[in-house]
C-alpha cells in the first residue's frame, strides 16, 4: 500500500520500456460536457486537461510550468502579465495556434454564459501584441494570476465560429458539448455521454510523450462493487475512486495496486443564507432557521466528524476547519481548531435561537461526485436528528445536482472544493465573495453568503506581495467565516485509486488523471 502526501505526486516507475497498448479506466462521474468553459468542475476540467491546454499547466509536483506559453513576466509595476506564446503549435484539426485564439478564449471563458468567468475577475483588459505575444492587464497587481489560470483552456477561434460554439452552453448544448478540438496530447475520438468517451494520441502534439497508449477509453461506473469487479477481472486498467471498504482487499489480492493520498478538496455543508423560507418537508414555507448563526453553529456542533472519518472513511481522511487544507498556501494555522462535537451545546444553541423543539428541512447531496458522498450525508442526517433537527435527504447524480443548487432548490447542501490555485484566496473568491456577475465573483456561492469586510479583503490578498501582510488578510477573512459559520467544513477528502499491477501512473492531489503520464506494461 502506498501513501501520497497532499503536496507531492507519486510516480510508479519500472525500468523496462513497454510496448504500445490500449488503456481503459473508470470513474463514478462522467464529465458533463466537452466544453472547457461551460462547467467549472473537477470531473470536466480534469478530463479535458488531456484534450485542451492552457497558457500554463501544472506538473507532476503541482508546480506551474509552460504550456501554450513558453514564458511570462509582469508588466511594469504590476499592471499585468505578458505571455510569450509557443510557436508551431497546431490544433487537432491542423489549424495554427496564435494569439487570436487566446483572445477569443478569454472573451469566451469570461463571458456571462461561461462557468469560468470568475477566473477573470482581476482582468481589466487583454491585448494582442503580435501573433505570439499577448498582454493580460489586471485592475491591481496580481502576483498569483499565472497560477489562477492553470485550467483556462484555449480553443480554436475558427473551429468554434464554424460550428456555432462562439459561447459556451452551460445549461444547454452546442457543438462543443459533444466535440472537441484542442492542442493537447490526446484527441477526442468518440463521445457517448453516460456510456463511454474515447481518446486517441495526437501525433502532432508539440510536447514529448511519456505514455505508450494507443487508445484510451473512459467508462462511468457508478456502482462501487461493479468498478472493483471490473478492475479485478481486467475489464478496466484503473478505477477512481476505490471504495474505502475495499482498499485493503484490493491491495492484498496481488493483481492490483491501491494508490492512496490526500486530495486538496475540503468537503463541507452549505446554507441558504439569504432565503426567507424553508423549501422542503412539512416545515416548507416556515422562516429559514439557517439565517441565524446560532443554528448554523448548532449544526457544526451536532456533527461528529471524527466518527465519520473513522467509520465511513476508514481513517483515510483528515478533519478540516477551513475552506482549504493545511497543505494549501494561505492556510490559517492559528485557526486550525474546528467546532467540537457537542450535542448538548447544539441543543442549547437551538433553544436560544427559538428552536427548542427542532425543525425539519431538505438536505441535498450528490451520490456520485465525492467519495462516499451519500453515506456521509446519511450520517449527517442521523447526527442532526440526535439534536432535534430532522433532515429529509435527497441524493442524486451530479449532473442533476448542480442545476438544483443553481436554482436554489435546497435547504442545506453538501459541497466539495479544491482550489485550482492551491491558495486560500481561491475559495474566498468563489465561495465567500458576495455574488456579483459583473465583477465575476462568488459564482459557486450558492447560498449567497455575504460579508462586506471579506469583499474588501479579497482584492488586498490578490494584490499583496508581502507574504506576512497577505496572510493577515487571509487570516482575518477565515476568522470571519468561522465566526459566522458561513460553511461547516468537515474533512479533507482522501484519494484512493486502484490500478492493475502493470500500470504506471501519477497521482496528483488535485485528483486530475493525466493520460500522458500513463504506461501500460
Amino acid at each position: 500500500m502506498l501513501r501520497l502526501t497532499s503536496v507531492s505526486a507519486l510516480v510508479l516507475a519500472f525500468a523496462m520500456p513497454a510496448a504500445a497498448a490500449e488503456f481503459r479506466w473508470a470513474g463514478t462521474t462522467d464529465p458533463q460536457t466537452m466544453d472547457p468553459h461551460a462547467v467549472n468542475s473537477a470531473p470536466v476540467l480534469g478530463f479535458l486537461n488531456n484534450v485542451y491546454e492552457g497558457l500554463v499547466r501544472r506538473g507532476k509536483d503541482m508546480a506551474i510550468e509552460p504550456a501554450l506559453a513558453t514564458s511570462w513576466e509582469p508588466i511594469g509595476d504590476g499592471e499585468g502579465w505578458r505571455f510569450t506564446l509557443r510557436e508551431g503549435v497546431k490544433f487537432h484539426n491542423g489549424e495554427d495556434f496564435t494569439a487570436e485564439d487566446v483572445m477569443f478564449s478569454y472573451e469566451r471563458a469570461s463571458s456571462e454564459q461561461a462557468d469560468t468567468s470568475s477566473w477573470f475577475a482581476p482582468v481589466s483588459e487583454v491585448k494582442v501584441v503580435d501573433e505570439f505575444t499577448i498582454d493580460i492587464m489586471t485592475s491591481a497587481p496580481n502576483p498569483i494570476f499565472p497560477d489562477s489560470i492553470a485550467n483556462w483552456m484555449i480553443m480554436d477561434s475558427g473551429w468554434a465560429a464554424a460550428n456555432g460554439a462562439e459561447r459556451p452552453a452551460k445549461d444547454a448544448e452546442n457543438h462543443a458539448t459533444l466535440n472537441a478540438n484542442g492542442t493537447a496530447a490526446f484527441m477526442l475520438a468518440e463521445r457517448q455521454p453516460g456510456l463511454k468517451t474515447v481518446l486517441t494520441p495526437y501525433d502532432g502534439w508539440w510536447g514529448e510523450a511519456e505514455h505508450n497508449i494507443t487508445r484510451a477509453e473512459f467508462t462511468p461506473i457508478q456502482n462501487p462493487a461493479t468498478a472493483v469487479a471490473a478492475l479485478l477481472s481486467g475489464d478496466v486498467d484503473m478505477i477512481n475512486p476505490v471504495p474505502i471498504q475495499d482498499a485493503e482487499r484490493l491491495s492484498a489480492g496481488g493483481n492490483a495496486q491501491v494508490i492512496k493520498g490526500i486530495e486538496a478538496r475540503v468537503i463541507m455543508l452549505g446554507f441558504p443564507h439569504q432565503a426567507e423560507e424553508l423549501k422542503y418537508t412539512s416545515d416548507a414555507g416556515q422562516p429559514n432557521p439557517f439565517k441565524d448563526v446560532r443554528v448554523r453553529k448548532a449544526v457544526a456542533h451536532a456533527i461528529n466528524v471524527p466518527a465519520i472519518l473513522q467509520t465511513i472513511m476508514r481513517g483515510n481522511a483528515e478533519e478540516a476547519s477551513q475552506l482549504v487544507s493545511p497543505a494549501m498556501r494561505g492556510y490559517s494555522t492559528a485557526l486550525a481548531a474546528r467546532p467540537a462535537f457537542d450535542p448538548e451545546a447544539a441543543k442549547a444553541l437551538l433553544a436560544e435561537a427559538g428552536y427548542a423543539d427542532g425543525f425539519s428541512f431538505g438536505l441535498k447531496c450528490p451520490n456520485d461526485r465525492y467519495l462516499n458522498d451519500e453515506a456521509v450525508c446519511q450520517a449527517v442526517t442521523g447526527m442532526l436528528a440526535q439534536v432535534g433537527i430532522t433532515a429529509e435527504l435527497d441524493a442524486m447524480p451530479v449532473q442533476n445536482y448542480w442545476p438544483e443548487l443553481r436554482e436554489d432548490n435546497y435547504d442545506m447542501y453538501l459541497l466539495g472544493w479544491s482550489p485550482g490555485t492551491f491558495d486560500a484566496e481561491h475559495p474566498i473568491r468563489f465561495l465567500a465573495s458576495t455574488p456579483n456577475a459583473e465583477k465575476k465573483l462568488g459564482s459557486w456561492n450558492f447560498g449567497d453568503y455575504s460579508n462586506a469586510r471579506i469583499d474588501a479583503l479579497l482584492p488586498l490578498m490578490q494584490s499583496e506581495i508581502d507574504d506576512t501582510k497577505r496572510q493577515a488578510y487571509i487570516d482575518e477573512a477565515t476568522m470571519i467565516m468561522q465566526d459566522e459559520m458561513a460553511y461547516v467544513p468537515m474533512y479533507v477528502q482522501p484519494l484512493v485509486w486502484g490500478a492493475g499491477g502493470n500500470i504506471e501512473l501519477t497521482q496528483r492531489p488535485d485528483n486530475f488523471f493525466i493520460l500522458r503520464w500513463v504506461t501500460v506494461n
Side-chain angles (χ1 to χ4, degrees), residues 36-37 52-55 68-69 83 85-110 120 126-136 149 152-163 165-167 181-183 202:
H37 307 147
Y52 285 99
E53 294 174 300
L55 300 182
L68 293 180
F83 291 85
L85 306 182
R86 191 178 298 277
E87 299 185 29
V89 174
K90 289 186 179 294
F91 287 95
H92 295 159
N93 66 352
E95 292 298 316
D96 293 329
F97 159 72
T98 69
E100 292 297 334
D101 298 303
V102 179
M103 173 62 84
F104 165 77
S105 296
Y106 162 71
E107 293 172 344
R108 190 179 194 275
S110 65
F120 305 95
V126 176
K127 305 175 183 177
V128 173
V129 178
D130 59 40
E131 196 174 14
F132 294 103
T133 310
I134 196 153
D135 289 349
I136 300 181
I149 58 169
W152 171 36
M153 300 178 210
I154 306 303
M155 297 181 69
D156 177 5
S157 56
W159 177 82
N163 291 288
E166 294 93 336
R167 289 292 181 267
N181 179 38
T183 59
Y202 175 39

Side-chain angles (χ1 to χ4, degrees), residues 465-477:
I465 297 174
D466 184 288
D467 282 342
T468 302
K469 293 180 181 178
R470 184 176 190 268
Q471 187 62 50
Y473 298 142
I474 294 174
D475 289 346
E476 183 181 351

Side-chain angles (χ1 to χ4, degrees), residues 223-235:
N223 186 289
T226 304
V228 170
L231 178 62
L232 290 174
S233 68
D235 288 339

